[in-house]
Each structure stands twice: as C-alpha cells, then as structure tokens.
Amino acid sequence: MTAFDPASVSRAQDGDTDARDGLLAAITPILQAFFRSRIGGSPQADDLVQNALIRVHRGLDALQNPARFKAFAMKAAVFELQDFYRGRYSTREALFDPDLPTPGSVDPEDVALRVDLEDALATLSEHARTIIEMRELGYPYSDIATTLDTTEAAVKMQVKRAFAKLREVLTSAVVAFALFGAAL
C-alpha cells in the first residue's frame, strides 16, 4: 500500500487523522521540491509549502476521486505559485535583517523615493486619474467602462496612455535629480 493509495485517501476523508497526517507528510517533500525548483530555497518556498498543505487539508473532503490525490495536491501548489507570482502572496512575518533598511524607511541616496508621485499624477487629466485609481483599487476594465459610460477598449487605451505619460514624467524627474541633485 502506497502513501497515496485511494484507500488511505478515503480513510483520511472519513476523519482518520493518522491517514490524513500520513498523506500530508508524504506530499510535503514533493511540494518542497516543486517550490524550490521554481523560486529557490528562500523562506517564501517554505511558506508556500505550508499554504499548499493548508489548501490540501481544507479541500480534501471535496476530492471526488481518491486516486487523484497527488494531482489534487499539485493543483493546490500551482494555485499557490500563481498567487505568489501575481503578488497576492505576502509573508505574514517580516524577517529583520540589520544590514537592510527597514520597510518604509527612506534612504537619502535613493533617487526613486524622492520623486513625488502626486505631482506625476497631477499631470494626468481628471478622467485618466479616475481610471488609474479605479484600476489600482482592483476594478476590472468592464466595471470601469460601465461606471464612466465608455467602452472597455477606451479604458484600456486610457490606462496605456496614462502609464506612458507617468513613465515619461517620472523618468525625467529621476534624470533631473541625478543631474542636479537635491537642489531641485
């Protein structure tokens, strides 16, 4: 009998904690190898393993075909990796490194942090700022278009143009700062 034997999966689904623990223990090294091969041996890889195990644990009762347990667990891992790549994943615990600046600190040498984003946004039209703000708040293009009584294609084009203008304004501000220093 293997660790992913359908009988073991069925017992775990029926509430056998030993069977559930055995399944999770057996899938852990596979998940570790999966995440480490994609993002390296960082602490985030271990966190992603734990998150995938939680997904497997919570969703095990919904698994209809016990013979597909490994595929089910790997699908949970893929979802966790997608969340990580999309930026929806954040560590719950900040690790302190005394050699790195603390998050949110401002190093006077950092040119990019000296650029005022509010000034850059002020160069956009009110309509473009509204679209960018709604997009940042997570509204899909279709909802923005409906709210502003325009087409989705027009909203997408406005976002593209707004980002191009912001890129231009911010780049020129960084270049000016680099050339003329803090005198600006």
Side-chain angles (χ1 to χ4, degrees):
M1 188 150 71
T2 65
F4 306 127
D5 182 52
S8 298
V9 176
S10 294
R11 282 197 319 277
Q13 289 176 317
D14 291 336
D16 183 347
T17 56
D18 290 336
R20 187 175 290 247
D21 291 346
L23 287 173
L24 295 177
I27 199 68
T28 298
I30 295 169
L31 294 174
Q32 287 171 334
F34 174 79
F35 287 117
R36 287 191 177 130
S37 70
R38 270 116 185 125
I39 65 170
S42 68
Q44 283 103 357
D46 293 333
D47 290 345
L48 289 171
V49 168
Q50 292 302 311
N51 289 346
L53 287 171
I54 290 170
R55 276 189 193 232
V56 170
H57 174 74
R58 288 182 179 162
L60 187 60
D61 293 335
L63 179 62
Q64 295 177 357
N65 183 354
R68 304 268 310 144
F69 173 75
K70 185 176 177 184
F72 171 74
M74 294 311 295
K75 190 171 185 180
V78 168
F79 286 151
E80 283 298 322
L81 189 64
Q82 287 173 342
D83 285 351
F84 175 77
Y85 285 144
R86 289 180 182 144
R88 294 183 185 146
Y89 172 83
S90 64
T91 56
R92 292 187 174 46
E93 171 183 316
L95 300 176
F96 177 72
D97 184 351
D99 296 329
L100 297 175
T102 57
S105 70
V106 179
D107 184 353
E109 304 295 317
D110 191 353
V111 174
L113 293 178
R114 290 185 168 268
V115 176
D116 190 0
L117 185 58
E118 289 297 322
D119 289 342
L121 286 171
T123 64
L124 299 177
S125 69
E126 184 66 34
H127 184 70
R129 270 195 311 276
T130 302
I131 291 173
I132 294 297
E133 288 170 4
M134 289 180 77
R135 190 70 190 135
E136 183 62 28
L137 291 172
Y139 287 94
Y141 289 117
S142 58
D143 289 354
I144 297 170
T146 302
T147 302
L148 299 176
D149 195 29
T150 186
T151 65
E152 193 172 331
V155 170
K156 288 179 181 178
M157 182 55 69
Q158 190 69 41
V159 168
K160 181 180 176 182
R161 289 178 180 156
F163 279 132
K165 187 167 188 174
L166 287 174
R167 189 177 305 111
E168 177 185 321
V169 169
L170 293 172
T171 301
S172 65
V174 169
V175 168
F177 183 83
L179 291 175
F180 303 111
L184 294 176

